[in-house]
Amino acid sequence: MKFKTALSPLEKNLLILHGTVFIWGFTGILGALISVSAFYLVWYRLLIASLSLLLYLVFAKVKFKVDWKTFLQLACTGALVGMHWLLFFQSIKISTVSVTLVCLSSITLFTAVFEPLVTNKKISRLEILAGLMIICGIVLIFKFESQYTKGIILGLISAATASIFSIINAQLVKQKPAPVIAFYELTGAFFWLSVYLFFMGGFKTSLRLSSNDFAYLLLLGTVCTSVAYVAGVSVMRQLSAFRVALVTNLEPVYGIIMAFIFFGDLKKMTPGFWIGAILILSTIFLFPVAQQKLANYRLKKQNT
């Protein structure tokens, strides 16, 4: 009997993506542990991530000069990245880690709708169905967790922005290395946020951090941002934006488990939350099975 010793490019990228999603699941925990507001949290996160990526590009001698058109495209995409993180962390601050992470699952539906518009890909009814099932789960959570309405709305808008920049990155990664894309997008996000803070007088407020906040932000900005962001973009050479969005929906699984370990979040959730969460997570796990069966059925139909 021969055993398979090497992973295919697809399997390797899926493994990297799952590892990345696990790290992303931890960002919600760090967001809840860091005491500064969502605005300053994201500003520091982007500053640390941009500097760490710059150091990597310089020491690894990666050529990261781009033309003006690409620079503007990446910088504008960075604005979406910054908006996503602001909404994500603000949602956590006014609701719970678990609620925000489950809302993030709606990225599947947004991607199923947005990706064909950007790439001219044929709309998949199976993808739309999976997205609608996830939305049904979110509606259930909305109904039973009405005290978190504002947090849920912010979480859903956060998911929409994440879907858009993921689709854009799926196209960009075919032209530029993932670390270069990550550097310009995160630096662009930092720039736009800094401009906003400047005009709103945000820099007049004390930016001092406690030792705990600094340690958490250092972990958030390096491992959970620069490293994870580069990995998340790089896998798009092999995986579609929808496939990435689908696997990303495992983030609530990891995040909710960690939220329970750190904060006992599960004790705050009603049965309605769990019905909705189970519906969402079941859709995530069953979608690849349904997709494979549909592909086999079509192949069989063609051969008969």
Side-chain angles (χ1 to χ4, degrees):
M1 181 185 293
K2 291 185 178 180
F3 293 96
K4 191 176 179 181
T5 56
L7 294 174
S8 68
L10 177 63
E11 291 169 334
K12 184 180 177 182
N13 280 282
L14 278 171
L15 192 62
I16 292 171
L17 180 58
H18 278 281
T20 303
V21 171
F22 180 81
I23 293 172
W24 284 338
F26 196 64
T27 60
I29 305 303
L30 291 172
L33 289 172
I34 295 168
S35 61
V36 296
S37 69
F39 239 103
Y40 289 118
L41 186 159
V42 175
W43 187 82
Y44 275 116
R45 179 187 189 180
L46 289 167
L47 173 62
I48 294 168
S50 298
L51 289 175
S52 60
L53 277 169
L54 179 60
L55 288 172
Y56 166 76
L57 292 170
V58 170
F59 283 104
K61 296 181 179 179
V62 177
K63 293 180 180 179
F64 58 98
K65 186 178 180 180
V66 296
D67 56 70
W68 270 105
K69 183 181 177 181
T70 304
F71 172 79
L72 290 173
Q73 189 177 20
L74 292 171
C76 290
T77 305
L80 288 172
V81 176
M83 187 185 299
H84 161 66
W85 284 341
L86 275 176
L87 294 168
F88 175 78
F89 286 112
Q90 185 59 25
S91 176
I92 288 172
K93 297 286 186 185
I94 63 176
S95 60
T96 71
V97 176
S98 302
V99 167
T100 302
L101 288 173
V102 170
C103 287
L104 203 62
S105 299
S106 63
I107 191 174
T108 307
L109 177 61
F110 290 122
T111 305
V113 174
F114 295 152
E115 190 175 19
L117 298 177
V118 175
T119 63
N120 294 320
K121 164 189 159 185
K122 185 180 177 182
I123 293 176
S124 167
R125 282 179 283 186
L126 185 61
E127 289 182 5
I128 294 292
L129 178 62
L132 288 173
M133 293 289 286
I134 287 170
I135 287 296
C136 287
I138 291 171
V139 169
L140 279 171
I141 293 170
F142 238 122
K143 183 178 179 181
F144 290 97
E145 302 292 342
S146 57
Q147 72 271 35
Y148 300 131
T149 297
K150 289 182 179 178
I152 292 170
I153 291 171
L154 292 181
L156 291 173
I157 301 173
S158 172
T161 55
S163 170
I164 295 169
F165 75 70
S166 294
I167 294 166
I168 293 170
N169 284 341
Q171 305 303 308
L172 291 174
V173 77
K174 297 170 185 175
Q175 305 163 20
K176 298 291 178 183
V180 175
I181 292 171
F183 171 69
Y184 282 107
E185 287 186 351
L186 297 183
T187 304
F190 175 74
F191 169 78
W192 294 119
L193 196 57
S194 297
V195 169
Y196 179 85
L197 285 173
F198 176 79
F199 283 105
M200 296 302 292
F203 290 114
K204 294 177 183 177
T205 309
S206 175
L207 291 173
R208 290 182 182 178
L209 297 170
S210 67
S211 55
N212 281 344
D213 279 346
F214 179 76
Y216 293 143
L217 280 164
L218 197 61
L219 179 60
L220 181 65
T222 53
V223 177
C224 297
T225 305
S226 53
V227 174
Y229 196 85
V230 169
V233 173
S234 66
V235 299
M236 289 182 172
R237 290 182 184 277
Q238 285 281 333
L239 308 175
S240 69
F242 184 83
R243 187 86 177 259
V244 171
L246 193 71
V247 175
T248 300
N249 283 323
L250 288 173
E251 186 176 338
V253 180
Y254 304 133
I256 288 170
I257 291 170
M258 286 187 274
F260 172 68
I261 294 169
F262 282 86
F263 310 117
D265 251 5
L266 304 190
K267 297 173 185 176
K268 304 176 186 177
M269 301 296 106
T270 63
F273 171 87
W274 288 112
I275 294 170
I278 289 168
L279 179 59
I280 290 168
L281 298 176
S282 298
T283 303
I284 293 166
F285 285 112
L286 292 175
F287 177 84
V289 178
Q291 192 178 44
Q292 186 60 53
K293 285 188 177 295
L294 183 62
N296 291 340
Y297 170 77
R298 286 173 177 169
L299 185 63
K300 187 177 179 180
K301 194 175 179 181
Q302 286 176 358
N303 294 333
T304 55

